[in-house]
Amino acid sequence: MLNVRLTLCAAALLGLAAFTQAAEVEVLHYWTSGGEAKAAGELKTMLEAKGDKWKDFAVAGGAGENAMTALKTRVVSGNPPAAAQLKGPAIQEWGDQGVLVSIDDVAKAEGWDKLLPPVVANVMKYKGQYVAAPVNVHRVNWLWINADLLKKANAKAPTTWDEFFKTADAMQKAGIIPVAIGGQSWQEAELLESVALGVGGASFYKKAFVQLDQATLKSPTMIKVLETYKRIKPYTDKAANGRDWNLATAMVINGKAGMQFMGDWAKGEFAVAGKQAGKDFLCVAAPGSADAYTFNVDSFAFFKLKDKDAEKGQRDLAQLLMSPKFQEVFNLYKGSIPARQGMDLSKFDDCAKKSSADFKNAAAKGTLVPSWAHDMAIPPAAEGAIYDVAAQFWNDDSMTAQTAAQKIAAAARAQ
């Protein structure tokens, strides 16, 4: 009997030791809306099933500015999280600071170079080694439309800017707010981005908002882009100031507005509300941009930690983020498509299937471009400065498109 008790006691102590040694993985993210929170919850569940402990570090704010401020504070204090939601050039900038840890061993073991399109894989690497793992690919240049309100206005889903303004006029005459938007600088910048792609095309977009070419930013095409952008404002409502993006999406979901320009994270909100693509809402490329694709990739970069035991948790998280199961479940909630190529999309809706097909077509045509409004293309200083001009022009009726173009060109030089 004594031996049995000793054996049970030893087993209990071993169990306690295993529990106390579970790696704590603190994850900084800004997924706080309905669809996003569900996606983050799924990640937590799957990580803890691996025996690790999830420590949530959620910072509200759709574009991530608040999260990035919090991250800087933690890194400067010498206490970074295990992983943080980062995108585009920011990954390289943190790499330059010497604070990221390589997860190349996980990437090589899992064959990430074969599973990721080069345009995504290259963003995840610093000096040739993976330091971040992608979870999805968002298409930014979407226009979401309430199907019932479109029918009520006796209008059609627009494919050109002329058609868009006809549809907006029809909705307005029917007593419908044509365009839902939140009066926040990142939402205004995203709208400008989609207008630029639709009016100028992918080649113009690359020169203007990836290369920041001064002549292109001051060109007649840029002036036309800005005039089209500003022409949309009378079709929005006066209560937009300060509204979060998901509340603007809710206006379309609830029949209070007809359309919204927003990346496909908006679809996650439609899904949470029980709405069906093609029946309750339509997803169409922003006018003029059907042959192009602005991409935004959510990813997690991994930081050097003092606690070496936490490295096991970081590698578990990296492996999990790229696993087929997580990529499927996460993106079904998030509204995006898997970053991992070759996956079965049978559970995804028509919008996601169209996004996947359009991504491949745009990659083949050379019209796949990074979203400058979502941290994928240009340095943060230039991005922020252009944000400011876009917001100023949107809200100042006395500013001309010519003046705005000159200001954007000057903003692009910000370092």
Side-chain angles (χ1 to χ4, degrees):
M1 189 70 179
L2 179 60
N3 288 337
V4 172
R5 286 177 179 172
L6 287 172
T7 300
L8 289 173
C9 183
L13 287 171
L14 285 170
L16 180 61
F19 177 79
T20 57
Q21 289 174 7
E24 181 178 85
V25 184
E26 186 177 21
V27 182
L28 169 61
H29 64 91
Y30 43 95
W31 291 329
T32 55
S33 74
E36 292 175 327
K38 266 193 162 185
E42 193 65 34
L43 180 57
K44 173 185 177 182
T45 299
M46 294 176 76
L47 183 69
E48 293 192 338
K50 280 181 167 285
D52 300 308
K53 183 179 179 183
W54 171 282
K55 184 176 181 181
D56 201 53
F57 187 3
V59 181
E65 298 99 328
N66 296 339
M68 293 306 96
T69 300
L71 177 61
K72 288 175 184 175
T73 301
R74 287 285 300 273
V75 174
V76 168
S77 68
N79 183 32
Q85 187 180 349
L86 289 179
K87 294 187 292 188
I91 295 173
Q92 307 306 311
E93 292 187 354
W94 282 113
D96 287 340
Q97 297 298 316
V99 295
L100 297 184
V101 66
S102 171
I103 53 166
D104 216 46
D105 54 343
V106 176
K108 285 180 179 177
E110 300 287 323
W112 288 10
D113 278 345
K114 294 180 180 179
L115 295 172
L116 294 172
V119 71
V120 175
N122 292 340
V123 175
M124 301 300 120
K125 295 178 180 179
Y126 178 72
K127 292 186 177 179
Q129 294 203 345
Y130 282 94
V131 292
V135 295
N136 60 5
V137 174
H138 280 297
R139 186 180 195 175
V140 179
N141 59 311
W142 280 119
L143 176 65
W144 307 94
I145 307 173
N146 181 297
D148 288 339
L149 296 186
L150 189 68
K151 188 181 295 184
K152 179 181 176 181
N154 193 27
K156 67 175 185 177
T159 59
T160 67
W161 284 106
D162 285 343
E163 289 177 359
F164 170 79
F165 289 113
K166 287 178 182 177
T167 296
D169 282 333
M171 286 183 172
Q172 209 163 50
K173 288 176 183 175
I176 301 163
I177 298 169
V179 179
I181 191 171
Q184 297 173 332
S185 61
W186 74 267
Q187 294 187 56
E188 292 155 2
E190 184 186 309
L191 175 58
L192 177 60
E193 173 180 287
S194 287
V195 174
L197 186 65
V199 171
S203 179
F204 163 83
Y205 179 97
K206 288 177 189 176
K207 288 180 181 177
F209 292 108
V210 179
Q211 299 169 13
L212 300 177
D213 179 71
Q214 287 290 301
T216 305
L217 289 169
K218 299 173 186 176
S219 69
T221 301
M222 187 65 193
I223 292 170
K224 185 178 179 182
V225 166
L226 288 162
E227 288 172 344
T228 305
Y229 166 71
K230 190 61 175 282
R231 191 178 165 192
I232 297 169
K233 191 177 183 186
Y235 297 103
T236 65
D237 66 306
K238 293 181 179 178
N241 189 40
R243 178 188 293 143
D244 286 332
W245 70 268
N246 52 310
L247 299 181
T249 305
M251 291 172 67
V252 180
I253 292 171
N254 298 326
K256 293 182 179 179
M259 301 178 282
Q260 182 189 22
F261 292 90
M262 187 56 57
D264 53 20
W265 45 92
K267 186 160 62 72
E269 301 302 296
F270 283 98
V272 168
K275 303 298 182 182
Q276 294 182 16
K279 178 184 176 183
D280 302 306
F281 67 96
L282 306 178
C283 53
V284 298
S289 70
D291 290 334
Y293 192 117
T294 39
F295 67 88
N296 174 25
V297 177
D298 285 318
S299 57
F300 284 93
F302 295 86
F303 285 77
K304 292 179 181 177
L305 302 174
K306 295 176 182 176
D307 180 8
K308 293 301 177 183
D309 290 339
E311 290 182 2
K312 182 260 183 188
Q314 287 179 313
R315 278 156 175 73
D316 284 347
L317 179 59
Q319 185 181 44
L320 177 61
L321 290 169
M322 272 289 289
S323 68
K325 180 181 178 183
F326 174 73
Q327 291 260 328
E328 177 181 90
V329 173
F330 174 83
N331 285 290
L332 284 170
Y333 281 138
K334 191 72 162 62
S336 43
I337 60 173
R340 183 183 177 119
Q341 299 294 282
M343 285 188 54
D344 177 10
L345 299 181
S346 58
K347 293 182 182 178
F348 287 76
D349 63 21
D350 289 344
C351 296
K353 289 173 183 174
K354 178 172 174 53
S355 180
S356 180
D358 287 353
F359 180 92
K360 292 173 185 174
N361 289 337
K365 292 178 181 178
T367 57
L368 184 65
V369 293
S371 168
W372 70 264
H374 288 285
D375 312 326
M376 295 299 299
I378 57 179
E383 178 187 309
I386 297 174
Y387 265 32
D388 292 343
V389 178
Q392 186 182 2
F393 180 57
W394 180 260
N395 293 294
D396 184 357
D397 292 337
S398 68
M399 184 184 291
T400 66
Q402 289 84 354
T403 299
Q406 293 290 332
K407 285 180 173 288
I408 286 176
R413 294 194 295 267
Q415 297 297 320

PDB file of all heavy atoms in Angstrom, residues 278-305:
ATOM      1  N   GLY A 278     -23.354  36.361 -51.558  1.00  0.00           N
ATOM      2  CA  GLY A 278     -24.160  36.102 -52.737  1.00  0.00           C
ATOM      3  C   GLY A 278     -25.643  36.185 -52.491  1.00  0.00           C
ATOM      4  O   GLY A 278     -26.427  36.378 -53.431  1.00  0.00           O
ATOM      5  N   LYS A 279     -26.054  36.083 -51.232  1.00  0.00           N
ATOM      6  CA  LYS A 279     -27.471  36.162 -50.875  1.00  0.00           C
ATOM      7  C   LYS A 279     -27.757  37.445 -50.109  1.00  0.00           C
ATOM      8  O   LYS A 279     -28.585  38.257 -50.524  1.00  0.00           O
ATOM      9  CB  LYS A 279     -27.873  34.944 -50.044  1.00  0.00           C
ATOM     10  CG  LYS A 279     -29.326  34.978 -49.585  1.00  0.00           C
ATOM     11  CD  LYS A 279     -29.636  33.793 -48.672  1.00  0.00           C
ATOM     12  CE  LYS A 279     -31.067  33.898 -48.130  1.00  0.00           C
ATOM     13  NZ  LYS A 279     -31.372  32.803 -47.171  1.00  0.00           N
ATOM     14  N   ASP A 280     -27.079  37.614 -48.987  1.00  0.00           N
ATOM     15  CA  ASP A 280     -27.301  38.789 -48.150  1.00  0.00           C
ATOM     16  C   ASP A 280     -26.379  39.945 -48.523  1.00  0.00           C
ATOM     17  O   ASP A 280     -26.729  41.115 -48.334  1.00  0.00           O
ATOM     18  CB  ASP A 280     -27.091  38.437 -46.670  1.00  0.00           C
ATOM     19  CG  ASP A 280     -28.010  37.323 -46.217  1.00  0.00           C
ATOM     20  OD1 ASP A 280     -29.232  37.469 -46.409  1.00  0.00           O
ATOM     21  OD2 ASP A 280     -27.509  36.307 -45.696  1.00  0.00           O
ATOM     22  N   PHE A 281     -25.204  39.609 -49.008  1.00  0.00           N
ATOM     23  CA  PHE A 281     -24.244  40.648 -49.381  1.00  0.00           C
ATOM     24  C   PHE A 281     -23.443  40.209 -50.598  1.00  0.00           C
ATOM     25  O   PHE A 281     -23.332  39.005 -50.893  1.00  0.00           O
ATOM     26  CB  PHE A 281     -23.300  40.985 -48.219  1.00  0.00           C
ATOM     27  CG  PHE A 281     -22.360  39.875 -47.831  1.00  0.00           C
ATOM     28  CD1 PHE A 281     -21.066  39.821 -48.332  1.00  0.00           C
ATOM     29  CD2 PHE A 281     -22.761  38.874 -46.940  1.00  0.00           C
ATOM     30  CE1 PHE A 281     -20.197  38.796 -47.978  1.00  0.00           C
ATOM     31  CE2 PHE A 281     -21.900  37.844 -46.582  1.00  0.00           C
ATOM     32  CZ  PHE A 281     -20.617  37.805 -47.091  1.00  0.00           C
ATOM     33  N   LEU A 282     -22.901  41.192 -51.308  1.00  0.00           N
ATOM     34  CA  LEU A 282     -22.078  40.933 -52.479  1.00  0.00           C
ATOM     35  C   LEU A 282     -20.654  41.406 -52.212  1.00  0.00           C
ATOM     36  O   LEU A 282     -20.442  42.405 -51.520  1.00  0.00           O
ATOM     37  CB  LEU A 282     -22.629  41.681 -53.699  1.00  0.00           C
ATOM     38  CG  LEU A 282     -24.103  41.448 -54.046  1.00  0.00           C
ATOM     39  CD1 LEU A 282     -24.488  42.292 -55.255  1.00  0.00           C
ATOM     40  CD2 LEU A 282     -24.390  39.976 -54.311  1.00  0.00           C
ATOM     41  N   CYS A 283     -19.695  40.675 -52.748  1.00  0.00           N
ATOM     42  CA  CYS A 283     -18.300  41.098 -52.684  1.00  0.00           C
ATOM     43  C   CYS A 283     -17.823  41.300 -54.116  1.00  0.00           C
ATOM     44  O   CYS A 283     -17.818  40.358 -54.906  1.00  0.00           O
ATOM     45  CB  CYS A 283     -17.442  40.064 -51.964  1.00  0.00           C
ATOM     46  SG  CYS A 283     -17.591  38.368 -52.613  1.00  0.00           S
ATOM     47  N   VAL A 284     -17.474  42.520 -54.443  1.00  0.00           N
ATOM     48  CA  VAL A 284     -16.960  42.819 -55.780  1.00  0.00           C
ATOM     49  C   VAL A 284     -15.682  43.629 -55.623  1.00  0.00           C
ATOM     50  O   VAL A 284     -15.489  44.326 -54.625  1.00  0.00           O
ATOM     51  CB  VAL A 284     -17.986  43.605 -56.630  1.00  0.00           C
ATOM     52  CG1 VAL A 284     -19.254  42.789 -56.832  1.00  0.00           C
ATOM     53  CG2 VAL A 284     -18.317  44.946 -56.004  1.00  0.00           C
ATOM     54  N   ALA A 285     -14.810  43.520 -56.605  1.00  0.00           N
ATOM     55  CA  ALA A 285     -13.585  44.321 -56.571  1.00  0.00           C
ATOM     56  C   ALA A 285     -13.967  45.794 -56.626  1.00  0.00           C
ATOM     57  O   ALA A 285     -14.958  46.175 -57.264  1.00  0.00           O
ATOM     58  CB  ALA A 285     -12.686  43.964 -57.745  1.00  0.00           C
ATOM     59  N   ALA A 286     -13.194  46.633 -55.939  1.00  0.00           N
ATOM     60  CA  ALA A 286     -13.422  48.074 -56.003  1.00  0.00           C
ATOM     61  C   ALA A 286     -13.416  48.489 -57.475  1.00  0.00           C
ATOM     62  O   ALA A 286     -12.691  47.912 -58.282  1.00  0.00           O
ATOM     63  CB  ALA A 286     -12.340  48.817 -55.233  1.00  0.00           C
ATOM     64  N   PRO A 287     -14.240  49.463 -57.837  1.00  0.00           N
ATOM     65  CA  PRO A 287     -14.383  49.844 -59.245  1.00  0.00           C
ATOM     66  C   PRO A 287     -13.045  50.014 -59.967  1.00  0.00           C
ATOM     67  O   PRO A 287     -12.129  50.657 -59.456  1.00  0.00           O
ATOM     68  CB  PRO A 287     -15.138  51.177 -59.167  1.00  0.00           C
ATOM     69  CG  PRO A 287     -15.963  51.043 -57.930  1.00  0.00           C
ATOM     70  CD  PRO A 287     -15.096  50.286 -56.967  1.00  0.00           C
ATOM     71  N   GLY A 288     -12.964  49.396 -61.150  1.00  0.00           N
ATOM     72  CA  GLY A 288     -11.775  49.533 -61.980  1.00  0.00           C
ATOM     73  C   GLY A 288     -10.602  48.661 -61.594  1.00  0.00           C
ATOM     74  O   GLY A 288      -9.568  48.701 -62.266  1.00  0.00           O
ATOM     75  N   SER A 289     -10.738  47.860 -60.516  1.00  0.00           N
ATOM     76  CA  SER A 289      -9.567  47.127 -60.008  1.00  0.00           C
ATOM     77  C   SER A 289      -9.730  45.613 -60.057  1.00  0.00           C
ATOM     78  O   SER A 289      -9.014  44.889 -59.366  1.00  0.00           O
ATOM     79  CB  SER A 289      -9.263  47.557 -58.564  1.00  0.00           C
ATOM     80  OG  SER A 289     -10.256  47.088 -57.666  1.00  0.00           O
ATOM     81  N   ALA A 290     -10.644  45.111 -60.878  1.00  0.00           N
ATOM     82  CA  ALA A 290     -10.916  43.679 -60.902  1.00  0.00           C
ATOM     83  C   ALA A 290      -9.701  42.845 -61.292  1.00  0.00           C
ATOM     84  O   ALA A 290      -9.547  41.698 -60.848  1.00  0.00           O
ATOM     85  CB  ALA A 290     -12.072  43.388 -61.862  1.00  0.00           C
ATOM     86  N   ASP A 291      -8.811  43.393 -62.121  1.00  0.00           N
ATOM     87  CA  ASP A 291      -7.646  42.642 -62.584  1.00  0.00           C
ATOM     88  C   ASP A 291      -6.430  42.806 -61.673  1.00  0.00           C
ATOM     89  O   ASP A 291      -5.359  42.261 -61.969  1.00  0.00           O
ATOM     90  CB  ASP A 291      -7.267  43.075 -64.004  1.00  0.00           C
ATOM     91  CG  ASP A 291      -8.298  42.625 -65.035  1.00  0.00           C
ATOM     92  OD1 ASP A 291      -8.992  41.626 -64.772  1.00  0.00           O
ATOM     93  OD2 ASP A 291      -8.418  43.284 -66.085  1.00  0.00           O
ATOM     94  N   ALA A 292      -6.575  43.549 -60.594  1.00  0.00           N
ATOM     95  CA  ALA A 292      -5.454  43.783 -59.683  1.00  0.00           C
ATOM     96  C   ALA A 292      -5.834  43.328 -58.270  1.00  0.00           C
ATOM     97  O   ALA A 292      -6.989  43.002 -57.996  1.00  0.00           O
ATOM     98  CB  ALA A 292      -5.069  45.259 -59.680  1.00  0.00           C
ATOM     99  N   TYR A 293      -4.840  43.319 -57.383  1.00  0.00           N
ATOM    100  CA  TYR A 293      -5.067  42.765 -56.045  1.00  0.00           C
ATOM    101  C   TYR A 293      -4.110  43.438 -55.065  1.00  0.00           C
ATOM    102  O   TYR A 293      -2.896  43.294 -55.183  1.00  0.00           O
ATOM    103  CB  TYR A 293      -4.804  41.262 -56.099  1.00  0.00           C
ATOM    104  CG  TYR A 293      -5.238  40.430 -54.918  1.00  0.00           C
ATOM    105  CD1 TYR A 293      -6.209  39.448 -55.068  1.00  0.00           C
ATOM    106  CD2 TYR A 293      -4.644  40.556 -53.664  1.00  0.00           C
ATOM    107  CE1 TYR A 293      -6.586  38.616 -54.015  1.00  0.00           C
ATOM    108  CE2 TYR A 293      -5.006  39.755 -52.609  1.00  0.00           C
ATOM    109  CZ  TYR A 293      -5.990  38.780 -52.791  1.00  0.00           C
ATOM    110  OH  TYR A 293      -6.357  37.963 -51.742  1.00  0.00           O
ATOM    111  N   THR A 294      -4.649  44.203 -54.135  1.00  0.00           N
ATOM    112  CA  THR A 294      -3.814  44.750 -53.063  1.00  0.00           C
ATOM    113  C   THR A 294      -3.847  43.772 -51.894  1.00  0.00           C
ATOM    114  O   THR A 294      -4.916  43.456 -51.374  1.00  0.00           O
ATOM    115  CB  THR A 294      -4.312  46.127 -52.592  1.00  0.00           C
ATOM    116  OG1 THR A 294      -5.736  46.143 -52.551  1.00  0.00           O
ATOM    117  CG2 THR A 294      -3.831  47.237 -53.497  1.00  0.00           C
ATOM    118  N   PHE A 295      -2.677  43.302 -51.490  1.00  0.00           N
ATOM    119  CA  PHE A 295      -2.637  42.296 -50.428  1.00  0.00           C
ATOM    120  C   PHE A 295      -2.118  42.863 -49.114  1.00  0.00           C
ATOM    121  O   PHE A 295      -1.305  43.784 -49.076  1.00  0.00           O
ATOM    122  CB  PHE A 295      -1.812  41.077 -50.846  1.00  0.00           C
ATOM    123  CG  PHE A 295      -0.339  41.332 -51.021  1.00  0.00           C
ATOM    124  CD1 PHE A 295       0.547  41.231 -49.956  1.00  0.00           C
ATOM    125  CD2 PHE A 295       0.179  41.649 -52.275  1.00  0.00           C
ATOM    126  CE1 PHE A 295       1.901  41.460 -50.119  1.00  0.00           C
ATOM    127  CE2 PHE A 295       1.542  41.871 -52.450  1.00  0.00           C
ATOM    128  CZ  PHE A 295       2.405  41.780 -51.373  1.00  0.00           C
ATOM    129  N   ASN A 296      -2.644  42.279 -48.052  1.00  0.00           N
ATOM    130  CA  ASN A 296      -2.274  42.622 -46.686  1.00  0.00           C
ATOM    131  C   ASN A 296      -2.124  41.296 -45.945  1.00  0.00           C
ATOM    132  O   ASN A 296      -3.077  40.522 -45.888  1.00  0.00           O
ATOM    133  CB  ASN A 296      -3.368  43.494 -46.054  1.00  0.00           C
ATOM    134  CG  ASN A 296      -3.132  43.776 -44.589  1.00  0.00           C
ATOM    135  OD1 ASN A 296      -2.007  43.751 -44.105  1.00  0.00           O
ATOM    136  ND2 ASN A 296      -4.203  44.037 -43.858  1.00  0.00           N
ATOM    137  N   VAL A 297      -0.943  41.016 -45.447  1.00  0.00           N
ATOM    138  CA  VAL A 297      -0.668  39.730 -44.800  1.00  0.00           C
ATOM    139  C   VAL A 297      -0.493  39.935 -43.300  1.00  0.00           C
ATOM    140  O   VAL A 297       0.397  40.674 -42.862  1.00  0.00           O
ATOM    141  CB  VAL A 297       0.596  39.075 -45.396  1.00  0.00           C
ATOM    142  CG1 VAL A 297       0.922  37.771 -44.682  1.00  0.00           C
ATOM    143  CG2 VAL A 297       0.413  38.829 -46.888  1.00  0.00           C
ATOM    144  N   ASP A 298      -1.337  39.275 -42.520  1.00  0.00           N
ATOM    145  CA  ASP A 298      -1.155  39.267 -41.063  1.00  0.00           C
ATOM    146  C   ASP A 298      -0.086  38.232 -40.726  1.00  0.00           C
ATOM    147  O   ASP A 298      -0.113  37.105 -41.246  1.00  0.00           O
ATOM    148  CB  ASP A 298      -2.455  38.892 -40.346  1.00  0.00           C
ATOM    149  CG  ASP A 298      -3.458  40.027 -40.342  1.00  0.00           C
ATOM    150  OD1 ASP A 298      -3.052  41.186 -40.123  1.00  0.00           O
ATOM    151  OD2 ASP A 298      -4.656  39.764 -40.548  1.00  0.00           O
ATOM    152  N   SER A 299       0.820  38.592 -39.865  1.00  0.00           N
ATOM    153  CA  SER A 299       1.877  37.651 -39.482  1.00  0.00           C
ATOM    154  C   SER A 299       2.315  37.931 -38.050  1.00  0.00           C
ATOM    155  O   SER A 299       2.022  38.992 -37.485  1.00  0.00           O
ATOM    156  CB  SER A 299       3.074  37.781 -40.431  1.00  0.00           C
ATOM    157  OG  SER A 299       3.570  39.102 -40.457  1.00  0.00           O
ATOM    158  N   PHE A 300       2.997  36.955 -37.489  1.00  0.00           N
ATOM    159  CA  PHE A 300       3.549  37.108 -36.139  1.00  0.00           C
ATOM    160  C   PHE A 300       5.067  36.982 -36.201  1.00  0.00           C
ATOM    161  O   PHE A 300       5.598  35.992 -36.705  1.00  0.00           O
ATOM    162  CB  PHE A 300       2.973  36.049 -35.197  1.00  0.00           C
ATOM    163  CG  PHE A 300       1.571  36.356 -34.765  1.00  0.00           C
ATOM    164  CD1 PHE A 300       0.496  35.844 -35.466  1.00  0.00           C
ATOM    165  CD2 PHE A 300       1.325  37.188 -33.684  1.00  0.00           C
ATOM    166  CE1 PHE A 300      -0.798  36.134 -35.085  1.00  0.00           C
ATOM    167  CE2 PHE A 300       0.037  37.491 -33.294  1.00  0.00           C
ATOM    168  CZ  PHE A 300      -1.034  36.959 -33.997  1.00  0.00           C
ATOM    169  N   ALA A 301       5.733  38.002 -35.688  1.00  0.00           N
ATOM    170  CA  ALA A 301       7.187  37.975 -35.579  1.00  0.00           C
ATOM    171  C   ALA A 301       7.553  37.542 -34.168  1.00  0.00           C
ATOM    172  O   ALA A 301       6.824  37.810 -33.201  1.00  0.00           O
ATOM    173  CB  ALA A 301       7.774  39.345 -35.888  1.00  0.00           C
ATOM    174  N   PHE A 302       8.695  36.893 -34.042  1.00  0.00           N
ATOM    175  CA  PHE A 302       9.098  36.317 -32.763  1.00  0.00           C
ATOM    176  C   PHE A 302      10.292  37.080 -32.188  1.00  0.00           C
ATOM    177  O   PHE A 302      11.262  37.361 -32.896  1.00  0.00           O
ATOM    178  CB  PHE A 302       9.433  34.839 -32.961  1.00  0.00           C
ATOM    179  CG  PHE A 302       8.230  34.037 -33.376  1.00  0.00           C
ATOM    180  CD1 PHE A 302       7.878  33.943 -34.719  1.00  0.00           C
ATOM    181  CD2 PHE A 302       7.430  33.432 -32.439  1.00  0.00           C
ATOM    182  CE1 PHE A 302       6.754  33.230 -35.116  1.00  0.00           C
ATOM    183  CE2 PHE A 302       6.303  32.720 -32.815  1.00  0.00           C
ATOM    184  CZ  PHE A 302       5.960  32.617 -34.159  1.00  0.00           C
ATOM    185  N   PHE A 303      10.200  37.395 -30.895  1.00  0.00           N
ATOM    186  CA  PHE A 303      11.190  38.242 -30.246  1.00  0.00           C
ATOM    187  C   PHE A 303      12.107  37.435 -29.327  1.00  0.00           C
ATOM    188  O   PHE A 303      11.699  36.434 -28.737  1.00  0.00           O
ATOM    189  CB  PHE A 303      10.482  39.346 -29.440  1.00  0.00           C
ATOM    190  CG  PHE A 303       9.916  40.432 -30.314  1.00  0.00           C
ATOM    191  CD1 PHE A 303       8.745  40.239 -31.031  1.00  0.00           C
ATOM    192  CD2 PHE A 303      10.578  41.645 -30.451  1.00  0.00           C
ATOM    193  CE1 PHE A 303       8.236  41.230 -31.860  1.00  0.00           C
ATOM    194  CE2 PHE A 303      10.084  42.643 -31.272  1.00  0.00           C
ATOM    195  CZ  PHE A 303       8.904  42.433 -31.981  1.00  0.00           C
ATOM    196  N   LYS A 304      13.357  37.899 -29.218  1.00  0.00           N
ATOM    197  CA  LYS A 304      14.322  37.278 -28.316  1.00  0.00           C
ATOM    198  C   LYS A 304      13.859  37.479 -26.875  1.00  0.00           C
ATOM    199  O   LYS A 304      13.521  38.586 -26.475  1.00  0.00           O
ATOM    200  CB  LYS A 304      15.704  37.904 -28.505  1.00  0.00           C
ATOM    201  CG  LYS A 304      16.342  37.585 -29.856  1.00  0.00           C
ATOM    202  CD  LYS A 304      17.707  38.269 -29.995  1.00  0.00           C
ATOM    203  CE  LYS A 304      18.330  37.968 -31.348  1.00  0.00           C
ATOM    204  NZ  LYS A 304      19.621  38.674 -31.530  1.00  0.00           N
ATOM    205  N   LEU A 305      13.885  36.387 -26.115  1.00  0.00           N
ATOM    206  CA  LEU A 305      13.412  36.424 -24.736  1.00  0.00           C
ATOM    207  C   LEU A 305      14.519  36.007 -23.770  1.00  0.00           C
ATOM    208  O   LEU A 305      15.408  35.224 -24.123  1.00  0.00           O
ATOM    209  CB  LEU A 305      12.211  35.487 -24.567  1.00  0.00           C
ATOM    210  CG  LEU A 305      10.993  35.753 -25.463  1.00  0.00           C
ATOM    211  CD1 LEU A 305       9.960  34.665 -25.267  1.00  0.00           C
ATOM    212  CD2 LEU A 305      10.394  37.118 -25.149  1.00  0.00           C
TER     213      LEU A 305
END
